Amino acid sequence: MINSFILSLALILAVPTLHNGELWPDTGGKHINAHGGNIIQYGGKYYWYGENRPDRGYTTEVGVEVYSSTDLCHWTDEGVALSVSETPGSDIERGCIMERPKVVYNPRTKRFVMLFHLELKGRGYEAARVAFAESESPTGPFRFIRSTRLHAGKWPFDYTTKQIEAARQTDAAKWKDWWTPEWRAETEKGMYLWRDFKGGQMSRDMTVFIDTDGKAYHITSSQENLTLLVSELTDDFLDFTGKYNTIAPGGQNEAPCIFKHDGRYWLICSGCTGWEPNEARMFTSTSIWGPWTQLPSPFQGTSSYRGFTAKKTFGGQGTYILSFSSEADPTAPTACIAPPAGMANVPQFVFMADIWNPRHLSQSLHLWLPIDFGADGTPVIRWTEKVFIQ
Ligand code: GAL
């Protein structure tokens, strides 16, 4: 009796309550340095991948870090999943920028595939490439495969002849002044799509989504961050099939996060204000290829974090939507997550975001908020202070 009491007490004390907007220690007591990333479930564990950011500066000095957990609360640092290269001239040479890594498991090839946003060393954000890496083990080491722009010489599959003709008439070199109504009209005709047609489309903030039929899609901020592209990946997830189209042309959306619920796709993005938080945007569709309808931001409530209200995504910028499939997957690890106040059930989806700290990027905080649904099935996200409550 006394023994079991002591045991339960020890267990309770061993479970750290993670608070949004505070440092999150790993099992070694260090703040989790995995930003802009994602979480997968594999073999009874969760794996969390993210940008290992330096304390000062914004270039990548280490690579992509991976942590493991059996319960989403205790995270063990498993080290560097994908390391920068020491070879001068390598695409991933130390000092490049690796952002927004997303790892997915491919059951056909039994490999873990990582896609990420890559900027080449010394070239700021102009390279705007997507990169691929793979590994046989969830903790790596991942092998870098290649980095590339997207869809060189290909139009979106649903572009009409009229749209193609209009895009061909544009000339980005003529427009030194941005944001004028004339410039906007040209961008809507596909000016940047045409500018990059030969060399390939830009790819910056990105995510990867595996649909219920096992097909994988890459969603990325393209055309000078003005327009999102959704692209189908090949069956091995290591390349693009060439089928792609646009989402919200000219809408300036970044940090795409997507999930599917009751046959409907929900896409939650941020606006483009760098490390500064802004108001989230939400889109929905019954097909990954659209048409997408824009809805108001799902962030609601009167709470705020350091003065950032729901209007500013509580200070965060989305990185991934974690969905739990514990009922369908008997090997799924357990989560020490409980329904937050006001929610009847343990949330099925959790919105993961970064509260960026540009002066000390490694200290950027994590923000995990459960996704609730309104009476009409629309996602609603409110502030919760405690992430996990036993
Ligand atoms: C943000 C973007 C981040 C990073 C940053 C650089 O808008 O979401 O991933 O690229 O800009 O300023």
Side-chain angles (χ1 to χ4, degrees), residues 271-288:
C272 299
T273 52
W275 307 114
E276 287 299 310
N278 54 51
E279 185 167 20
R281 297 94 184 270
M282 180 161 68
F283 302 86
T284 188
S285 171
T286 51
S287 159
I288 193 80

Side-chain angles (χ1 to χ4, degrees), residues 344-366:
N345 299 309
V346 168
Q348 211 189 327
F349 302 97
V350 174
F351 179 82
M352 295 170 55
D354 297 280
I355 299 180
W356 296 113
N357 179 345
R359 287 183 181 193
H360 304 281
L361 276 176
S362 63
Q363 301 291 299
S364 299
L365 302 172
H366 307 290

Side-chain angles (χ1 to χ4, degrees), residues 36 51 53 58 97 99-100 117 125 204-205 225 254-255 270-276 278 317-318 356:
E51 302 156 14
R53 288 287 192 167
Y58 62 92
I97 302 174
E99 286 183 351
R100 303 201 168 261
H117 167 201
Y125 277 84
R204 290 200 181 118
D205 278 11
N225 296 351
E254 271 194 337
S270 73
C272 299
T273 52
W275 307 114
E276 287 299 310
N278 54 51
Q317 185 184 31
W356 296 113

